[in-house]
Amino acid sequence: MHLDRRQFLEVLGTTAFTAVGATPAGASGGDSHEDPMGMLVDTTNCIGCRKCEFACSQAHHLNDLPVEAFEDKAVFENHRRMDANALTVVNRFPNEEEPDKPTYVKSNCLHCLNPGCVSACLVGALQKTETGAVVYDPWKCIGCRYCMVACPFEVPAYEFLEPLAPRVRKCDFCAERTAEGKIPACAEMCPPMCLTYGKRSELLQMAREKIEERPDRYVHRIYGEEEAGGTAWLYLAPKEFEQLGFIHLGSEGVPVLTETIQHSIFRYGVLPLMLFGLLGATMRSLGPEVEPEPAISPIGQADEQTLSP
Ligand code: SF4
Ligand code: SF4
Ligand code: SF4
């Protein structure tokens, strides 16, 4: 029987998690900051150079690979997803009208305004900071992986190969760098300036102006403005986002549902081991309202599909 990651975690959760005494320290879902920092990704300017992947790996000491290792374009033959050693990945999507100009999409944690991962974390290991970044504290994490089930964008990865102290891994919006007044490493190294870091409200305005100035260049929609209650990372694209691997989501934030579940658990003593199943059902109810085109896999999801340039 084939189980996908979510199904596997749901089954695992019903048998493994018995932390009845845990408290819902992370159940707030984080504050909805009025105007958090964000990133505008203009996919029409992305050249697929993978410098952002290199910068991220350097900034987070993920590996010792030189920049040349990220110049390998063969990786675009298959869609890749984030993992414990790659907090951001760039994937290539074909352009039927101009085959020599494919679209490249960088994916990573979108830093939701009301993050489901924060809401689902029983011990507060995931928190939303003052700037709007969603960060992780491995010292608090109990390894339940509820966050992985609760994320509507299927972002958090887990160090399954770490025998002693496996961690959940995801983009932290370069929280240490930004606390020092620097911009995120990926944005600093992105050559054609397709990554713009700034206040979310200003990025939204910038995105609207770009669409207005070049209505032929962009699909008239900003991904992340509404999805899952809104995200700090915002995307512009030349065609419908679902054709570029983005998951189609409604505008309702995940925490509304996960908090209801958690409050029931702790108020009425429902066993926490039931949370996985409930979260799984919740996420399925929030899932794609329409199926993406079968030839394209959701953002961040791996497949074995071979892509044409
Ligand atoms: S994209 Fe997923 S991991 Fe990132 S903040 Fe949102 S819910 Fe959390
Ligand atoms: S913001 Fe930082 S952690 Fe996130 S993808 Fe960019 S470099 Fe990596
Ligand atoms: S560094 Fe910028 S242009 Fe290069 S792949 Fe990353 S997002 Fe695209």
Side-chain angles (χ1 to χ4, degrees), residues 4-303:
D4 64 22
R5 185 183 67 162
R6 279 197 173 144
Q7 290 167 328
F8 170 74
L9 289 171
E10 286 168 31
V11 171
L12 190 69
T14 57
T15 56
F17 189 80
T18 54
V20 179
T23 55
S28 69
D31 296 330
S32 289
H33 298 273
E34 286 294 315
D35 192 11
M37 299 303 287
M39 188 82 81
L40 177 61
V41 184
D42 186 341
T43 63
T44 68
N45 282 334
C46 181
I47 56 174
C49 65
R50 300 180 62 208
K51 291 279 196 307
C52 51
E53 293 184 27
F54 170 67
C56 185
S57 72
Q58 291 273 302
H60 292 79
H61 313 291
L62 299 177
N63 52 56
D64 296 325
L65 294 175
V67 67
E68 291 78 21
F70 292 83
E71 292 169 2
D72 177 12
K73 299 297 189 288
V75 297
F76 292 134
E77 293 303 314
N78 295 306
H79 284 177
R80 297 172 298 149
R81 57 161 299 117
M82 294 147 277
D83 61 34
N85 294 310
L87 310 185
T88 183
V89 293
V90 178
N91 282 308
R92 182 177 66 192
F93 294 85
N95 179 349
E96 294 78 12
E97 291 169 8
E98 294 182 85
D100 59 335
K101 291 183 181 173
T103 302
Y104 295 96
V105 177
K106 172 190 189 311
S107 55
N108 45 256
C109 170
L110 299 183
H111 299 274
C112 305
L113 302 188
N114 291 291
C117 60
V118 173
S119 178
C121 182
L122 296 165
V123 294
L126 285 154
Q127 294 286 346
K128 198 159 176 64
T129 68
E130 286 297 311
T131 61
V134 176
V135 298
Y136 169 73
D137 183 348
W139 295 102
K140 291 181 179 172
C141 179
I142 56 175
C144 67
R145 282 162 280 151
Y146 286 1
C147 54
M148 295 173 71
V149 182
C151 173
F153 300 101
E154 304 182 356
V155 165
Y158 195 66
E159 292 178 323
F160 285 104
L161 299 180
E162 277 293 329
L164 295 179
R167 295 168 295 175
V168 168
R169 301 308 306 269
K170 70 171 201 68
C171 157
D172 63 358
F173 218 163
C174 284
E176 282 187 19
R177 287 176 57 92
T178 54
E180 296 170 355
K182 300 175 185 168
I183 68 171
C186 55
E188 187 174 75
M189 195 165 281
C190 179
M193 303 298 285
C194 83
L195 302 179
T196 306
Y197 180 66
K199 282 191 176 295
R200 184 175 185 270
S201 62
E202 293 169 6
L203 296 178
L204 276 172
Q205 183 60 28
M206 181 187 297
R208 290 190 192 107
E209 286 171 7
K210 282 186 170 217
I211 293 172
E212 199 174 312
E213 285 166 14
R214 294 291 306 274
D216 55 322
R217 185 179 177 94
Y218 301 104
V219 67
H220 297 187
R221 176 181 160 203
I222 305 165
Y223 192 90
E225 182 173 15
E226 302 285 346
E227 280 74 11
T231 61
W233 281 63
L234 304 163
Y235 283 80
L236 288 173
K239 58 183 172 184
E240 281 303 334
F241 289 95
E242 288 73 14
Q243 296 174 29
L244 297 171
F246 289 79
I247 295 176
H248 189 103
L249 291 167
S251 59
E252 187 175 7
V254 175
V256 175
L257 295 163
T258 53
E259 283 174 18
T260 301
I261 293 169
Q262 287 202 31
H263 292 165
S264 299
I265 286 168
F266 290 100
R267 185 175 303 159
Y268 303 115
V270 178
L271 286 175
L273 60 80
M274 293 174 65
L275 181 58
F276 247 164
L278 288 167
L279 273 174
T282 297
M283 297 315 301
R284 275 193 296 276
S285 75
L286 286 171
E289 292 171 356
V290 294
E291 289 295 323
E293 290 192 0
I296 305 296
S297 62
I299 191 167
Q301 275 195 324
D303 66 19

